[in-house]
Amino acid sequence: MTQNQSALSTLLTELLDDPDMAHDQVFRRLLQAGLQDLIDAEATAKIGAGRYERSSARTTRRNGSRSKTLETPAGEVNLEIPKLRQGSFFPALLHPRRRVDKALYAVVAQAWVDGVSTRKVDQLMHALGNESGISKATVSRVCADIDQTVTEFLTRPLDHTWFPYLYLDATFLDVRLHGRVVSQAVVVATGVSGQGRREILGMSVGDTESTDFWTQFLRSLRDRGLKVSTETDPLGVVLVTSDAHGGIRNAVKAILPGAGWQRCRVHFARNVTQKLGSRAAKPVNALISAVFAQTTPHALKAQYRQVAESLAGPFPEIAKMMDAAEPDLTAFTGFPPEHWVKIWSNNPIERLNREIKRRSDVVQIFPDRESVTRLVGAVLQEQHEEWQYGERRYLSETSMRRLVDALTNTDEPQPHALPLTA
């Protein structure tokens, strides 16, 4: 197709050359051409310039395209979705916000076809209009389309920027393996880039949160370009926030040697509740929360010691927990105060886990690990795009410059040079 030739004009040329083209084929091709022109027009509006056009309003450039098959009343039509060098593009007419719903449909359909679905899944399939059944070929095609997009997202390079802050967490889903329903760990990594924006960095599915599993997962992030912080190049991962799971901590030590570790304060509060019970833990956790209301490292650490000592009499076990956890719970104080509330807990990734659970509760039991990756990967990709292309940054540019200055100032101790306690 030439620069000024639309898909519709190309089709008209073909019709003139071949007047005997089948009527049903003409209708399908006409629909396909019209949709393609709409897609190209929307891409031009987003980019700020047409194909090969010179324009001061241009924001990025085309970078090839990816094929998409769309089912219509006239049959399947093949469309080309332009890819961009920077940012992402998905045409509004194809419902970009329905990617997760399509992934959910694919997983439910796969479970239904494989005969391992629950009664709820059967009801869903019938509600979706599949009274007479759905073929395995159709399910395979739908799954393949989603899998390609999710795989590209989960294996994309991570060397386009540096990520000072990394968040790690896991949730558990029921999966059918070898004829048995077993609980599988779904681990997720998110990060804050040097530009102050959040990104989904990766996910993996495994049997348990073991050191080996976390090590393999973090190594895969490094293989994709995740930078570690070194003395000669400190602009890498400088702080990892997670719960106190031993597998995570051991893996961080092995794979991210230049990073400090922040124990999530919310998880610590839950540990206190587990020790004392919900009723007794409320005033204790309220007292501990007062520590995090301080605005300077000196004041915070002084308040921390005061609270721990005040708990030594009535709650000696909690006081011992605070003594042991002090360097881990206060690791965030080595970074700009504007970042504290964003890096002292795993709250952002926990909200992500709740969205994963909300979607997975529809399936209940996944037919295999691949279906977990399909659905969870689609949820993560959708969230990633919201974070990346939203107007608000997670951390301001000014505060990120302060972090860079602190890390690259060799005359002072580096804020991330905090020991990982055993």
Side-chain angles (χ1 to χ4, degrees):
M1 187 165 61
T2 64
Q3 178 179 348
N4 298 315
Q5 190 174 19
S6 71
L8 279 172
S9 61
T10 301
L11 176 59
L12 290 173
T13 301
E14 291 184 22
L15 283 171
L16 292 174
D17 293 339
D18 184 11
D20 297 327
M21 186 181 293
H23 180 269
D24 57 346
Q25 184 180 355
V26 172
F27 185 75
R28 181 182 61 79
R29 291 286 304 281
L30 183 64
L31 179 61
Q32 176 176 306
L35 290 174
Q36 188 65 60
D37 280 352
L38 287 172
I39 291 170
D40 292 339
E42 186 178 346
T44 296
K46 180 178 179 65
I47 293 169
R51 195 184 300 272
Y52 310 117
E53 178 186 353
R54 295 182 180 274
S55 170
S56 59
R58 180 187 290 276
T59 58
T60 183
R61 295 183 179 276
R62 290 170 172 80
N63 187 29
S65 63
R66 60 185 177 89
S67 299
K68 179 173 180 61
T69 301
L70 181 69
E71 288 191 6
T72 74
E76 292 186 347
V77 297
N78 297 316
L79 303 172
E80 295 296 322
I81 312 298
K83 297 196 296 186
L84 309 183
R85 291 189 182 277
Q86 294 179 334
S88 67
F89 170 73
F90 196 89
L93 65 89
L94 298 184
H95 307 292
R97 307 312 299 161
R98 292 182 59 192
R99 181 191 294 123
V100 174
D101 296 324
K102 291 175 183 176
L104 178 60
Y105 174 84
V107 172
V108 170
Q110 181 183 349
W112 196 73
V113 168
D114 290 346
V116 298
S117 58
T118 63
R119 181 169 56 89
K120 185 176 181 181
V121 170
D122 273 335
Q123 293 170 347
L124 275 171
M125 289 304 298
H126 291 304
L128 290 169
N130 286 290
E131 296 287 345
S132 60
I134 183 172
S135 70
K136 288 190 176 183
T138 300
V139 173
S140 296
R141 182 182 56 76
V142 173
C143 291
D145 182 51
I146 297 169
D147 289 348
Q148 179 181 354
T149 302
V150 169
T151 299
E152 288 176 359
F153 169 66
L154 293 177
T155 59
R156 74 193 190 282
L158 300 177
D159 56 0
H160 59 289
T161 185
W162 67 293
F163 295 91
Y165 302 129
L166 184 67
Y167 304 82
L168 302 174
D169 202 8
T171 190
F172 288 84
L173 303 176
D174 289 333
V175 183
R176 191 176 296 274
L177 295 178
H178 310 298
R180 295 180 296 111
V181 177
V182 298
S183 180
Q184 294 282 280
V186 179
V187 300
V188 177
T190 67
V192 178
S193 71
Q195 292 72 45
R197 293 192 179 276
R198 285 187 287 176
E199 293 194 28
I200 304 290
L201 303 186
M203 67 155 287
S204 188
V205 184
D207 293 325
T208 183
E209 282 192 272
S210 64
T211 296
D212 289 344
F213 181 45
W214 275 111
T215 299
Q216 182 180 11
F217 177 58
L218 292 183
R219 184 176 288 117
S220 72
L221 298 183
R222 283 196 58 176
D223 289 343
R224 288 166 50 205
L226 181 68
K227 284 182 60 179
V228 298
S229 178
T230 65
E231 291 185 5
T232 57
D233 185 6
L235 300 186
V237 178
V238 295
L239 188 70
V240 178
T241 302
S242 73
D243 61 24
H245 193 283
I248 297 178
R249 300 176 67 185
N250 292 334
V252 169
K253 289 180 183 180
I255 306 301
L256 302 173
W261 177 62
Q262 168 65 41
R263 181 171 179 176
C264 174
R265 56 167 291 200
V266 175
H267 281 86
F268 184 81
R270 292 174 187 167
N271 297 149
V272 171
T273 301
Q274 290 171 353
K275 283 283 187 182
L276 301 180
S278 58
R279 185 172 182 178
K282 285 184 179 179
V284 174
N285 277 327
L287 189 61
I288 295 174
S289 293
V291 172
F292 300 94
Q294 308 308 309
T295 58
T296 67
H298 178 75
L300 188 141
K301 291 179 181 180
Q303 182 72 14
Y304 192 102
R305 292 311 320 149
Q306 182 179 340
V307 170
E309 290 168 5
S310 69
L311 293 174
F315 302 103
E317 287 188 357
I318 305 303
K320 289 180 180 178
M321 286 173 58
M322 289 191 67
D323 289 341
E326 181 174 359
D328 308 325
L329 282 175
T330 62
F332 65 88
T333 59
F335 299 88
E338 303 97 315
H339 295 185
W340 288 7
V341 70
K342 303 291 189 178
I343 62 177
W344 66 26
S345 79
N346 248 6
N347 272 0
I349 202 169
E350 290 239 319
R351 286 193 290 271
L352 196 58
N353 281 340
R354 285 197 292 272
E355 178 63 13
I356 292 172
K357 283 287 191 180
R358 185 177 75 85
R359 296 289 185 169
S360 62
D361 282 348
V362 176
V363 181
Q364 295 185 345
I365 300 173
F366 286 81
D368 51 35
R369 285 181 176 175
E370 289 73 21
S371 61
V372 176
T373 301
R374 184 175 304 126
L375 178 58
V376 175
V379 172
L380 296 178
Q381 186 174 10
E382 188 169 278
Q383 181 62 76
H384 172 83
E385 291 176 355
E386 285 187 9
W387 285 347
Q388 278 292 284
Y389 309 118
E391 295 182 1
R392 292 187 59 186
R393 295 174 187 267
Y394 192 61
L395 297 173
S396 70
E397 290 183 275
T398 302
S399 68
M400 294 308 296
R401 284 196 294 269
R402 287 190 57 202
L403 176 63
V404 172
D405 291 342
L407 294 175
T408 55
N409 183 2
T410 57
D411 295 332
E412 297 180 5
Q414 299 302 304
H416 64 292
L418 299 168
L420 284 168
T421 58

